[in-house]
Amino acid sequence: MIRINQIKLTPDKGKEELVQKATKILRISEKEVLSLKIRKQSIDARKKPNIMYVYTVDVEVSNEQKIMRRQKGNQVTLIHETPYDFPNSGTKKMEHRPVVIGSGPAGLFCAYLLAEHGYRPVVYERGASVEERKKDVERFWNEQILNPNSNVQFGEGGAGTFSDGKLNTLVKDPVGRNRKVLEIFVENGAPKDILYSHKPHIGTDLLITVVKNMSQRTLDWGGEVHFHSQMTDIHVEDGKLTAITVTTDAESIRCPAEILVLAIGHSARDTFSMLYERQIPMIAKSFAVGVRVEHDQEMINCAQYGENVPYDLPAAPYKVAANLENGRGVYSFCMCPGGDVVNASSEEGRLAVNGMSYHARDGKNANSAIIVTV
């Protein structure tokens, strides 16, 4: 596969012009192109108001070696991409199905891949299904009635469902996990542009359907998902996990388990307390704390794109960072163009705020967390 970097087009140009520019760079005719896929798209607004889209594209041709021999510089490269490969199974037979606690992003994907490869996982989620949870969240936002087990933090899809699904990361990923995540989202109803957008975003309104579809596939592949089911105890004998206690509204039951994945997020303080009491080894990580700021989106658009831009551009994001004399860093996080600041509390008497955007990002305001590492 041939990859071409740094193809620049004005925002009013489409796929046809992109193909034309790619074939011109490769010095081939359009008939020689078997396929062309956009790999990355970003906005270059450094020379306002001369705004450009910058593309990286992958081009499939039948005679790539011949074409590569006449290329100069590093704009055109030959790539051999390795797709994500699920780890090989072990040799020891499990006595019980693997158990996943929590159906936020980590638990959702863990169960999805385990089910896809025949492991038939059992998921226990203290919160509600995403459809029921949506109603609980809207009731909280509109009527201030909090359900401690079904809210912005707890429930199918996790906190990310109501934080609009921003999917950018700075983590190096040589084995293709990032790409696999995006592909799974698209397979389950997310827009295809997340596969190449510089800062991929789904939107809370679309995420609800995507999460529902992922859980349904887990069920179709033989997995189980139990809502309103909280793990309240863990049982270890001779240094080995033997069972967990799951508590529902009606009863507490002891469930055999030998493989347990804890995907409980950061807000399950009661579960962390229980694990600490059971002397399960844990390591405290550094964390960050701060405030969420909100400002007019039009002001951000003007700052990023300039005035009187002749193109219909998406709501502009931003990123800020500063290093202080005391060695601490202050930076923006979870920036939401055209979004809302929302109450994300999960406990009575405690306040937590978050930010989110819908897919269109057409709200009047932008918002961002401004945080410092503790």
Side-chain angles (χ1 to χ4, degrees):
M1 185 77 72
I2 293 176
R3 178 164 293 176
I4 309 175
N5 298 297
Q6 291 292 311
I7 299 180
K8 294 188 177 184
L9 293 172
T10 54
D12 58 333
K13 298 295 190 288
K15 183 89 177 269
E16 184 177 333
E17 287 83 1
L18 189 59
V19 173
Q20 291 173 359
K21 200 144 189 178
T23 54
K24 185 176 180 180
I25 292 171
L26 296 178
R27 289 182 283 172
I28 60 175
S29 69
E30 292 184 29
K31 294 180 180 179
E32 295 178 77
V33 176
L34 302 179
S35 69
L36 182 145
K37 292 182 180 179
I38 301 173
R39 190 66 185 202
K40 185 178 178 182
Q41 179 196 60
S42 58
I43 295 178
D44 184 351
R46 290 174 296 179
K47 298 179 180 179
K48 304 175 182 64
N50 183 23
I51 308 294
M52 304 292 285
Y53 275 141
V54 183
Y55 294 93
T56 296
V57 299
D58 289 344
V59 183
E60 184 183 5
V61 294
S62 58
N63 54 343
E64 61 183 29
Q65 294 296 337
K66 179 181 177 182
I67 292 171
M68 287 302 300
R69 281 196 292 268
R70 56 179 185 246
Q71 300 303 317
K72 296 180 180 180
N74 56 7
Q75 184 182 14
V76 180
T77 57
L78 197 61
I79 62 159
H80 300 282
E81 225 171 23
T82 303
Y84 173 76
D85 190 21
F86 188 80
N88 294 329
S89 60
T91 57
K92 184 179 179 180
K93 185 177 179 180
M94 295 185 296
E95 296 297 324
H96 305 97
R97 295 154 70 177
V99 176
V100 179
I101 304 300
S103 63
L108 189 72
F109 274 89
C110 178
Y112 186 95
L113 286 171
L114 285 173
E116 184 181 18
H117 290 83
Y119 288 90
R120 300 170 58 242
V122 180
V123 181
Y124 293 107
E125 165 59 54
R126 71 192 295 172
S129 67
V130 73
E131 304 102 311
E132 182 183 345
R133 181 183 173 209
K134 179 175 181 288
K135 296 175 183 177
D136 291 333
V137 170
E138 289 175 347
R139 187 181 302 113
F140 176 52
W141 287 345
N142 296 328
E143 304 174 32
Q144 290 76 56
I145 300 174
L146 174 67
N147 183 336
N149 282 321
S150 180
N151 45 62
V152 174
Q153 306 291 353
F154 297 139
E156 186 178 21
T161 305
F162 296 93
S163 188
D164 86 20
K166 289 175 285 292
L167 301 170
N168 48 300
T169 176
L170 299 178
V171 175
K172 300 296 182 183
D173 182 37
V175 296
R177 289 173 298 180
N178 293 350
R179 182 74 179 182
K180 181 66 174 178
V181 166
L182 297 176
E183 289 172 349
I184 289 174
F185 274 133
V186 170
E187 289 167 7
N188 287 278
K192 292 182 179 179
D193 61 14
I194 67 170
L195 294 173
Y196 55 80
S197 175
H198 176 55
K199 291 185 176 180
H201 152 81
I202 297 177
T204 291
D205 46 337
L206 301 187
L207 259 175
I208 290 171
T209 299
V210 173
V211 167
K212 180 180 177 182
N213 290 343
M214 288 183 64
S215 287
Q216 184 58 52
R217 282 204 175 186
T218 297
L219 296 175
D220 293 342
W221 287 325
E224 293 180 16
V225 181
H226 300 273
F227 298 112
H228 304 290
S229 302
Q230 180 181 354
M231 184 189 74
T232 52
D233 207 350
I234 188 169
H235 306 278
V236 177
E237 297 177 8
D238 297 326
K240 293 183 179 181
L241 174 71
T242 59
I244 61 172
T245 297
V246 176
T247 301
T248 67
D249 293 337
E251 60 181 345
S252 289
I253 55 175
R254 182 167 170 144
C255 306
E258 60 189 300
I259 302 295
L260 180 68
V261 178
L262 296 177
I264 59 178
H266 59 57
S267 296
R269 285 177 282 275
D270 48 2
T271 307
F272 284 112
S273 295
M274 179 274 292
L275 294 172
Y276 180 76
E277 290 172 2
R278 296 291 176 267
Q279 298 183 331
I280 303 300
M282 292 186 285
I283 299 174
K285 294 179 64 176
S286 61
F287 64 97
V289 65
V291 298
R292 189 161 285 272
V293 297
E294 188 174 51
H295 21 244
D296 186 80
Q297 181 63 51
E298 200 57 45
M299 178 182 72
I300 303 301
N301 291 346
C302 185
Q304 297 290 67
Y305 298 145
E307 298 181 0
N308 304 317
V309 177
Y311 307 115
D312 182 19
L313 296 170
Y318 65 79
K319 181 179 180 180
V320 295
N323 292 314
L324 307 183
E325 293 180 359
N326 63 4
R328 296 212 174 172
V330 177
Y331 54 97
S332 61
F333 173 77
C334 188
M335 193 271 148
C336 302
D340 300 292
V341 176
V342 297
N343 189 335
S345 297
S346 60
E347 295 182 22
E348 294 282 359
R350 293 177 183 262
L351 176 65
V353 294
N354 204 354
M356 56 161 277
S357 302
Y358 294 110
H359 179 67
R361 286 181 165 174
D362 56 359
K364 181 180 183 297
N365 294 320
N367 68 80
S368 176
I370 303 297
I371 58 180
V372 60
T373 300
V374 176

